[in-house]
Amino acid sequence: MQFTVKTNNDTLTFNKKTSLLEILGEENPDRDIIAARVNNRVRELTYEVNYDCEIEWLTVKDSDAVKTYEASLRYVVAMAFHRAYPELKIRFAYNVSRCVSIHLLTPGYTANTAMLLKVSHEIEEIIKADYPLKRMLVPLDEAKPVYEKLGYEDKMGLLPYRPEKTVHLYECDGFYDYMYNHMVPSTGYIKKYKLRLYAPGFLLQYPRAETGGEIPPFQDAPTFGRTLTESHDWSKIVGSDTVAGINDSIKKNGTVEFINICEARHNRMLCELGQLIEDSIDDVSLICVAGPSSSGKTTFANRLRIELLARGIRPIRISIDDYYLEKHLIPKDKDGNIDLESIEALNIPLFNQNMVDLIAGEEVTLPRFDFQSGKSVPGRTLKVQHGQPIIIEGIHALNDRLTRDIPKSAKFKIFIAPQAQMNLDDHNPVSLTDLRLIRRIVRDYKFRNASAEETIEMWPSVRAGEFKWIYDTQEGSDYVYNSMLSYELPVMKKYAMPLLKQIDEQSPCFPTALRLMRMLKFFIDMPDDWVPSNSLMREFIGGSCYADV
């Protein structure tokens, strides 16, 4: 049995099944390579090949490998906590500054400097020992006693929703856990991390691909952090902080009740937001709405308008997209393409002049950008009254450069994003970014006839724009609207799964599709008949009453 392996411009021949570690040989002395892409599919370095293939070695400069590193780091940290405090249960979640947060679940334990030093010591000892991480495939009936012995009630709760009859576990010097991701071969591969106190728990920093494989500087974001805490508290109240909890709620209380509970929370936030704006309507002239891709900005802006109309406030909406410069004036990105996401692509002086004139009560003819011709043409003529705010929505809406001539006191800034605090189990948080990616895949296919592969291909560019233009502005907001609906993944599963399954295994997008499918498979299917027509969810699955607004 002879097969060839292409790697690093070399072609190697083998006669027996060979692991990637053996193929790599002595070429990884610093252990910078932590995973590999084999025929475009991400594999662990312990994976064995016995077929013709092409191998691309991955480091923490690659986004797929970062997920491997982060999952392995979580494993090591969980193991360290177990050694230092065997009775203490912890939960990982995603948090501020692209960190993983660590929550202490067991009463009587306090995150303090002494605990930080003790756990840090255990982490370093585990890394120094370079214990192998051994992957095991275990039948469900054998996994249950292991989970019970380790006190993994959270993992037990997910077992009934697992479609397979087996589970994977990783064993490391007598410790067992599973992180629903690929892992490094041994604990010695973990080299870069920072563990810090962040009341009431800890924060774990790790290398990121978007910062060249380095740990990004820590930037506190109290507004964002407070929103995550509120989201977690609410999720615990209604039992939707875990996938098993969501499934159980749907089975126990029914589809209609669960949908209405989630929608009621959105209604409550809109009511709260409407009251804040009403209380300061004499000062507020501009309502600015921004958020990352697939946050539900369009539906939110429509619902906010209705909320304000119900309070006797008659807002008008103005599209920032109508202020694009002509095509030849728009700056280019690093690849030489016009960069429509850059704030420099907008006619900032004209936008400010129009807003200032409108606020002053003057009649203004707004521009309208004709995307077919790439030129600005005359649009509608408006005149606003005192107490009639202008709603603007877009990625730059919170950027003070866009509204530089308007006093801060006249602006009410709203940041919108799905701030999920949801876990597969205590050690495996669901990615906020993956949630938005699934939304976009479903929406792009429904309304733009774009395949899941096309959406995934453009996602890194979308994310780069978010880091550059959006996230730094959220801390200056007056209100953070959490657009997460706990029932959305059970609803979108039936839309997303067929689209993801169409992606060929040889496609560069397949690793992402596989990761999303592995997460979605745990959710039970939920019909969308009772999703309200004004729900934010309708922006993605169709049937919105705002479709023609």
Side-chain angles (χ1 to χ4, degrees):
M1 177 184 67
Q2 191 176 81
F3 59 96
T4 59
V5 173
K6 294 181 180 179
T7 176
N8 292 343
N9 298 318
D10 293 329
T11 301
L12 308 173
T13 303
F14 296 91
N15 296 308
K16 63 176 183 177
K17 185 179 287 188
T18 307
S19 73
L20 299 183
L21 274 175
E22 292 175 294
I23 295 171
L24 191 56
E26 302 298 321
E27 294 184 34
N28 194 26
D30 297 325
R31 294 186 171 181
D32 292 331
I33 295 170
I34 59 172
R37 196 175 281 118
V38 181
N39 290 348
N40 282 326
R41 187 162 179 175
V42 177
R43 300 289 189 181
E44 297 177 341
L45 293 182
T46 53
Y47 178 74
E48 296 180 324
V49 295
N50 61 349
Y51 52 87
D52 295 340
C53 60
E54 192 166 333
I55 299 175
E56 178 188 356
W57 304 113
L58 303 176
T59 71
V60 286
K61 294 181 180 181
D62 302 285
S63 58
D64 288 326
V66 166
K67 296 182 186 301
T68 297
Y69 190 94
E70 184 253 326
S72 304
L73 176 59
R74 272 190 282 121
Y75 187 104
V76 168
V77 172
M79 182 175 173
F81 267 96
H82 180 72
R83 286 187 167 190
Y85 302 95
E87 303 303 318
L88 172 60
K89 293 185 179 181
I90 62 171
R91 172 176 282 191
F92 294 112
Y94 293 113
N95 212 296
V96 300
S97 196
R98 293 173 275 183
C99 297
V100 171
S101 59
I102 303 168
H103 303 273
L104 311 184
L105 301 183
T106 306
Y109 288 88
T110 303
N112 52 33
T113 302
M115 181 179 284
L116 176 69
L117 292 174
K118 189 172 183 179
V119 172
S120 296
H121 174 74
E122 289 294 342
I123 293 173
E124 288 301 313
E125 289 297 308
I126 292 168
I127 292 172
K128 183 180 177 181
D130 197 22
Y131 297 120
L133 286 156
K134 302 173 185 176
R135 185 183 176 97
M136 305 165 58
L137 184 65
V138 182
L140 284 180
D141 57 348
E142 293 181 21
K144 290 177 182 178
V146 176
Y147 287 168
E148 288 173 350
K149 183 179 179 181
L150 292 170
Y152 288 160
E153 292 89 354
D154 52 315
K155 293 185 187 294
M156 291 281 288
L158 196 60
L159 288 181
Y161 301 109
R162 185 177 179 85
E164 298 88 357
K165 300 300 182 185
T166 56
V167 299
H168 286 99
L169 284 171
Y170 283 88
E171 185 273 332
C172 182
D173 193 43
F175 179 74
Y176 294 84
D177 207 343
Y178 186 61
M179 298 301 178
Y180 297 93
N181 211 310
H182 299 296
M183 303 289 279
V184 296
S186 61
T187 58
Y189 280 73
I190 301 299
K191 297 185 295 181
K192 298 177 182 178
Y193 72 93
K194 289 181 181 178
L195 184 66
R196 63 168 66 219
L197 277 168
Y198 192 81
F202 300 92
L203 284 183
L204 183 64
Q205 293 179 273
Y206 57 96
R208 303 282 302 201
E210 63 268 16
T211 53
E214 298 298 325
I215 297 174
F218 179 74
Q219 293 179 312
D220 200 3
T223 301
F224 177 50
R226 186 168 60 251
T227 306
L228 290 176
T229 300
E230 291 170 356
S231 175
H232 179 253
D233 291 345
W234 182 84
S235 296
K236 289 207 71 171
I237 290 171
V238 298
S240 63
D241 57 326
T242 65
V243 175
I246 290 172
N247 291 341
D248 290 345
S249 293
I250 295 170
K251 291 174 68 176
K252 179 181 178 182
N253 301 318
T255 298
V256 175
E257 181 169 316
F258 192 56
I259 288 175
N260 284 331
I261 288 172
C262 298
E263 292 291 342
R265 183 164 182 260
H266 273 199
N267 293 338
R268 188 180 71 185
M269 286 191 289
L270 279 166
C271 182
E272 181 180 71
L273 184 52
Q275 188 64 55
L276 289 172
I277 294 172
E278 183 180 0
D279 290 344
S280 55
I281 195 59
D282 289 337
D283 300 316
V284 172
S285 300
L286 201 62
I287 299 172
C288 312
V289 181
S293 174
S294 303
S295 292
K297 295 184 289 294
T298 302
T299 299
F300 168 76
N302 277 305
R303 291 190 64 176
L304 177 60
R305 177 177 170 272
I306 298 297
E307 176 67 30
L308 295 178
L309 284 171
R311 294 172 179 271
I313 301 170
R314 298 180 296 111
I316 63 169
R317 290 185 61 191
I318 290 178
S319 173
I320 296 175
D321 288 352
D322 283 327
Y323 286 86
Y324 275 123
L325 295 166
E326 293 193 6
K327 189 175 180 180
H328 69 281
L329 297 174
I330 296 176
K332 303 285 196 301
D333 62 18
K334 63 179 181 179
D335 299 319
N337 302 314
I338 61 170
D339 187 2
L340 292 174
E341 292 192 339
S342 170
I343 195 171
E344 305 300 338
L346 300 172
N347 190 336
I348 297 175
L350 178 62
F351 181 83
N352 276 267
Q353 186 61 56
N354 284 175
M355 296 305 106
V356 169
D357 290 345
L358 284 170
I359 291 168
E362 297 181 21
E363 188 174 88
V364 176
T365 298
L366 303 177
R368 181 178 64 82
F369 191 78
D370 185 338
F371 282 90
Q372 282 193 327
S373 66
K375 294 183 178 181
S376 180
V377 298
R380 56 187 173 148
T381 299
L382 293 177
K383 184 176 182 178
V384 302
Q385 307 297 321
H386 178 72
Q388 188 176 22
I390 301 166
I391 298 176
I392 61 170
E393 172 255 309
I395 63 172
H396 301 296
L398 301 188
N399 192 327
D400 283 326
R401 286 181 60 196
L402 179 67
T403 55
R404 63 192 181 195
D405 295 338
I406 299 165
K408 288 187 177 182
S409 60
K411 293 181 279 192
F412 191 96
K413 296 182 176 182
I414 303 168
F415 183 83
I416 175 174
Q419 314 286 21
Q421 287 288 273
M422 183 195 308
N423 285 55
L424 287 170
D425 57 48
D426 287 341
H427 295 171
N428 290 279
V430 173
S431 165
L432 305 176
T433 304
D434 283 349
L435 170 67
R436 289 192 295 110
L437 177 54
I438 290 169
R439 282 182 173 187
R440 181 145 182 169
I441 287 169
V442 172
R443 186 196 66 189
D444 284 2
Y445 178 77
K446 181 83 176 178
F447 297 106
R448 301 175 184 178
N449 199 30
S451 67
E453 189 167 13
E454 290 173 304
T455 300
I456 292 172
E457 280 178 345
M458 68 182 294
W459 192 242
S461 174
V462 172
R463 290 284 289 151
E466 292 170 353
F467 281 116
K468 186 174 183 179
W469 299 113
I470 297 177
Y471 291 124
D472 286 345
T473 66
Q474 66 179 312
E475 281 303 303
S477 59
D478 297 292
Y479 193 92
V480 177
Y481 186 90
N482 184 356
S483 67
M484 171 67 184
L485 287 161
S486 297
Y487 70 78
E488 66 181 83
L489 289 175
V491 164
M492 285 198 290
K493 177 182 177 182
K494 63 178 174 292
Y495 293 101
M497 285 292 254
L499 302 178
L500 294 168
K501 288 177 180 178
Q502 291 175 11
I503 297 178
D504 189 87
E505 289 190 16
Q506 303 306 313
S507 167
C509 299
F510 184 74
T512 299
L514 188 62
R515 184 181 75 249
L516 297 178
M517 288 190 288
R518 282 173 172 167
M519 183 260 288
L520 282 171
K521 72 181 181 182
F522 288 104
F523 290 91
I524 61 175
D525 290 317
M526 180 174 168
D528 53 39
D529 307 57
W530 297 106
V531 175
S533 64
N534 70 339
S535 172
L536 186 140
M537 189 49 37
R538 290 292 178 186
E539 184 172 324
F540 306 100
I541 64 174
S544 173
C545 62
Y546 301 118
D548 298 322
V549 174

